[in-house]
Amino acid sequence: MMKKDSSETVSERVKIVFSVKEILSVVLKLTVVVAVVSMMLAVVNTLTRDRIAVNERKKTEEALSGLFPASEFDEIDSIPASTEPGISVESVYTAGKNGVQEGCCVELYVSGFSTEEIHLIIGVAAEEYTVVGVEVISSSETPGVGAAVLAKNGDYLKKFENTSKLTISDIDTVSGATITSEAVVSSVRTAVNIAAVVLGGDNNG
Amino acid sequence: MMNIFLLAITAVLIENFVFVKFLGICPFIGVSKKISTAVGMGIAVIFTMTVSSALTWPVHYFLLQPFDLSYFDTIAFILIIAAVVQLVEMYLRKCIPSLYSALGIYLPLITTNCAVLGISLLNVTKGYNFIESVLYGFFSGVGFLLAIVLLSLVRERIKFADIPTPFRGVPIVLIAAAILSIAFMGFQGLKLPF
Amino acid sequence: MANGYGKIFKDGVFFNNPTFVQLLGLCPTLAVTTSVFNGIGMGLSVTFVLIFSNLFISLLRKFIPQNIRIAAYVVIIAGFVTVVDLVIKAFFPELSSSLGLFIPLIVVNCVILARAESFASKNPPFPSVVDGLANGIGVTLALTVISAIREFTGNGTLLGFPVTPETFSPAVIMILPSGGFLVLGFVIAAVQFVQRKRRADR
């Protein structure tokens, strides 16, 4: 009886040892796979990192210089909150040339028709807070409908040039692309309001 | 409280994972034959999406981003999801074996459900805080449940219809989904502040 | 030998087409086929991941233990998907913003895991690469067909170039989610029709 017991426990013990070994080997092998993959990723990341950063800045910088050519831009630290739903202000840049403040650019995200937000930069001049222009950084609106409204150098976005707080409401929404055009209108309104706060504060000084 | 309600409406209807974002299509088509399995799958997905959102958020914000390792998001998230699904599997096998066998192969396939990895990545892209991420995960799962139950209701009805032979199986289901999707278009473009 | 590779190739592209026959990877098929550019971009990305993950998994097939093989495959696939993601972000930022979330979601594209499990884990490296390439081309073909239909009917363009007369009024719904379901449903119906005919002829 006793002998049977002890041989059983010995074989049980051997089983446990094996499964611990098994587990260790499995974990080790998985770790090796993870390590190899991670190394490969680290290499690719180092190779592409700078280019990705450049790409992300490029569009913004092009838009800013498109609105206020040959100006210097300063990003301000405290951004006023947006007053309208669906709009989140990303950053505000003040534009200056030769020490004179020309205006500011408001970078914001607004929800349009698609589930991806529209990324806009709106330029507002310091004079009377009139709109300089609307630049679209990225959007995923419906081609032919919403996307046509947002077309670069298109008719709709041109309508906003030289509008001010009061005249923005004169601009109609585009039928068939109501939501996209409404998003642009409320974005421009927000940008003008923010410009008044940012630039107005400085002027009164 | 109102904020949660608005977030719920956004996640379930306006940005419905299946009909608007196209995430979670494979189980959507595969498991919607019977209403009971559809409900079971929907609940399993809600649980997985909520728990994954809760676990992946801290991993991104405390482990990866501070060390500039954001490009490890995909790998880390999918491993966490695989572990969560494994736990769900073990729980169901012990506690609700009928559901376990009804879901069959589709249960481990929750790991490859675009909706689960999608919600983890979306929470990061949208910059939600922890509570928002977990709630968004939960309600997006509810949206998935809604979609899959709606489709299973339709499928049970058309089961006895005389469908042209080439359309039997997946095609007619896709066309039913197309019509359901048109209904959900009514919610698009709404901006709910939360 | 050539016969074997020919068969692998034809199966992957046509007879066992991942999208239309195996019915795998439908999420990206519906989501990114709003334009031919996106469809081809996604197809090529999937092909890249398929080739390299099949290669690696085949090379490591004797090293990876059975019970954690899925986890190991997923890690390898996720690695290559991240590589594709970084490369596209760096060199094709336009594509990156149109495809958005769906590039990292290639990880959970059932096609890649299915090929790894059913082919690469049981075959030597070179046939696995051919299988990956073939299935990748199959996916690209499927995505191109669907996005061509959707872009043509929904926007009147192909690859961004207008190909329809001014009088043609595109049906925008084809580019919206419903259109995706609709086109895919009809195309799969057409494929099933052809399949039945071939089976009846034999």
Side-chain angles (χ1 to χ4, degrees):
Chain A
M1 272 292 179
M2 285 297 283
K3 274 196 181 163
K4 223 187 179 178
D5 272 18
S6 56
S7 64
E8 262 180 20
T9 43
V10 163
S11 55
E12 268 177 71
R13 260 187 253 142
V14 169
K15 270 198 205 141
I16 295 173
V17 164
F18 262 132
S19 44
V20 163
K21 241 193 179 178
E22 245 181 40
I23 295 178
L24 274 182
S25 123
V26 162
V27 166
L28 197 68
K29 289 187 175 174
L30 190 56
T31 317
V32 167
V33 170
V34 172
V36 167
V37 170
S38 311
M39 280 195 294
M40 170 184 74
L41 271 191
V43 166
V44 175
N45 183 51
T46 336
L47 291 174
T48 55
R49 184 174 38 195
D50 296 323
R51 241 197 118 121
I52 294 178
V54 162
N55 282 341
E56 284 177 10
R57 294 288 314 158
K58 216 159 93 163
K59 273 204 140 176
T60 316
E61 278 163 9
E62 279 173 2
L64 290 176
S65 17
L67 292 168
F68 292 101
S71 300
E72 308 241 312
F73 294 94
D74 256 317
E75 196 172 341
I76 66 169
D77 290 322
S78 58
I79 305 170
S82 110
T83 44
E84 314 219 7
I87 298 186
S88 63
V89 183
E90 173 79 9
S91 31
V92 179
Y93 305 87
T94 50
K97 202 184 326 197
N98 303 324
V100 172
Q101 204 172 54
E102 290 189 300
C104 74
C105 292
V106 179
E107 182 182 1
L108 50 77
Y109 287 89
V110 58
S111 52
F113 185 71
S114 79
T115 53
E116 300 271 324
E117 293 179 309
I118 309 176
H119 187 180
L120 298 172
I121 294 189
I122 299 164
V124 183
E127 285 270 329
E128 310 283 323
Y129 308 128
T130 49
V131 176
V132 172
V134 179
E135 293 274 341
V136 179
I137 307 291
S138 76
S139 71
S140 320
E141 300 301 289
T142 320
V145 195
V149 165
L150 297 173
K152 202 179 166 71
N153 301 322
D155 295 326
Y156 190 66
L157 293 182
K158 279 220 169 61
K159 288 193 188 168
F160 289 93
E161 288 174 19
N162 296 318
T163 56
S164 69
K165 195 166 173 172
L166 301 165
T167 51
I168 293 178
S169 31
D170 290 340
I171 301 189
D172 291 323
T173 47
V174 177
S175 73
T178 323
I179 292 169
T180 310
S181 41
E182 178 59 44
V184 179
V185 171
S186 50
S187 307
V188 176
R189 223 182 354 243
T190 308
V192 170
N193 288 334
I194 288 183
V197 169
V198 166
L199 298 171
D202 283 285
N203 282 345
N204 293 341
Chain B
M1 205 52 215
M2 192 55 171
N3 273 355
I4 300 183
F5 180 67
L6 296 176
L7 188 146
I9 303 257
T10 308
V12 175
L13 297 176
I14 305 176
E15 292 185 13
N16 184 287
F17 256 54
V18 177
F19 292 122
V20 178
K21 290 197 147 83
F22 287 128
L23 299 172
I25 304 285
C26 294
F28 175 65
I29 296 184
V31 185
S32 47
K33 288 206 189 97
K34 278 183 66 185
I35 303 179
S36 48
T37 24
V39 172
M41 171 57 106
I43 296 181
V45 168
I46 293 179
F47 179 78
T48 316
M49 282 172 81
T50 315
V51 174
S52 306
S53 300
L55 293 176
T56 53
W57 192 95
V59 166
H60 174 84
Y61 281 104
F62 296 133
L63 216 64
L64 296 176
Q65 203 188 50
F67 299 104
D68 242 340
L69 292 173
S70 298
Y71 57 94
F72 270 101
D73 274 347
T74 316
I75 296 189
F77 290 179
I78 192 72
L79 284 176
I80 293 176
I81 293 170
V84 171
V85 172
Q86 188 69 10
L87 288 171
V88 171
E89 228 187 314
M90 296 198 301
Y91 171 76
L92 281 185
R93 188 162 44 181
K94 280 216 181 97
C95 303
I96 317 179
S98 54
L99 184 58
Y100 177 80
S101 43
L103 288 178
I105 186 73
Y106 285 101
L107 191 50
L109 280 186
I110 297 182
T111 316
T112 55
N113 184 336
C114 327
V116 186
L117 181 60
I119 189 69
S120 310
L121 293 170
L122 264 178
N123 282 329
V124 167
T125 324
K126 291 204 177 208
Y128 287 153
N129 65 36
F130 183 70
I131 306 279
E132 282 169 345
S133 299
V134 174
L135 286 175
Y136 191 61
F138 176 76
F139 285 114
S140 300
V142 172
F144 176 82
L145 174 70
L146 178 69
I148 201 174
V149 166
L150 280 176
L151 192 70
S152 67
L153 291 169
V154 169
R155 283 183 85 164
E156 291 232 352
R157 282 301 211 95
I158 62 178
K159 207 161 38 181
F160 304 108
D162 192 15
I163 304 172
T165 341
F167 282 90
R168 291 197 193 146
V170 175
I172 195 66
V173 173
L174 286 170
I175 295 179
I179 299 176
L180 283 169
S181 167
I182 296 180
F184 273 78
M185 266 173 67
F187 298 113
Q188 272 198 299
L190 286 179
K191 292 179 248 190
L192 295 181
F194 61 82
Chain C
M1 240 326 181
N3 236 1
Y5 287 134
K7 181 172 184 342
I8 298 179
F9 199 79
K10 278 194 276 190
D11 272 349
V13 178
F14 291 118
F15 302 121
N16 205 22
N17 185 292
T19 309
F20 295 141
V21 178
Q22 297 181 54
L23 298 179
L24 297 174
L26 295 180
C27 292
T29 311
L30 291 164
V32 310
T33 46
T34 48
S35 74
V36 178
F37 180 65
N38 288 350
I40 295 183
M42 173 58 99
L44 294 178
S45 311
V46 172
T47 309
F48 175 86
V49 177
L50 263 173
I51 293 178
F52 283 97
S53 66
N54 264 18
L55 176 67
F56 263 59
I57 291 175
S58 174
L59 286 171
L60 295 173
R61 70 190 185 281
K62 305 217 169 90
F63 175 75
I64 300 175
Q66 267 295 89
N67 41 13
I68 49 133
R69 70 182 189 288
I70 301 287
Y73 296 165
V74 165
V75 168
I76 294 175
I77 295 173
F80 285 110
V81 168
T82 312
V83 168
V84 168
D85 190 15
L86 291 175
V87 168
I88 291 184
K89 275 205 185 102
F91 296 104
F92 305 101
E94 294 292 327
L95 194 62
S96 176
S97 43
S98 344
L99 294 182
L101 199 60
F102 283 92
I103 297 185
L105 282 183
I106 297 179
V107 175
V108 289
N109 187 327
C110 315
V111 180
I112 309 185
L113 203 63
R115 294 330 289 170
E117 169 78 353
S118 59
F119 198 95
S121 59
K122 304 178 181 141
N123 286 286
F126 194 65
S128 299
V129 168
V130 174
D131 179 79
L133 179 67
N135 278 278
I137 294 181
V139 168
T140 312
L141 196 70
L143 292 177
T144 310
V145 165
I146 299 198
S147 44
I149 299 177
R150 286 180 79 187
E151 191 182 348
F152 182 73
T153 52
N155 202 29
T157 60
L158 276 180
L159 271 175
F161 299 112
V163 290
T164 50
E166 285 287 314
T167 49
F168 179 73
S169 201
V172 180
I173 193 144
M174 297 307 258
I175 300 203
L176 298 177
S178 324
F181 284 115
L182 214 62
V183 173
L184 188 62
F186 274 93
V187 173
I188 296 183
V191 168
Q192 292 192 167
F193 178 73
V194 168
Q195 277 181 317
R196 292 188 81 249
K197 274 197 79 193
R198 291 184 75 239
R199 253 179 261 149
D201 287 343
R202 262 193 231 145

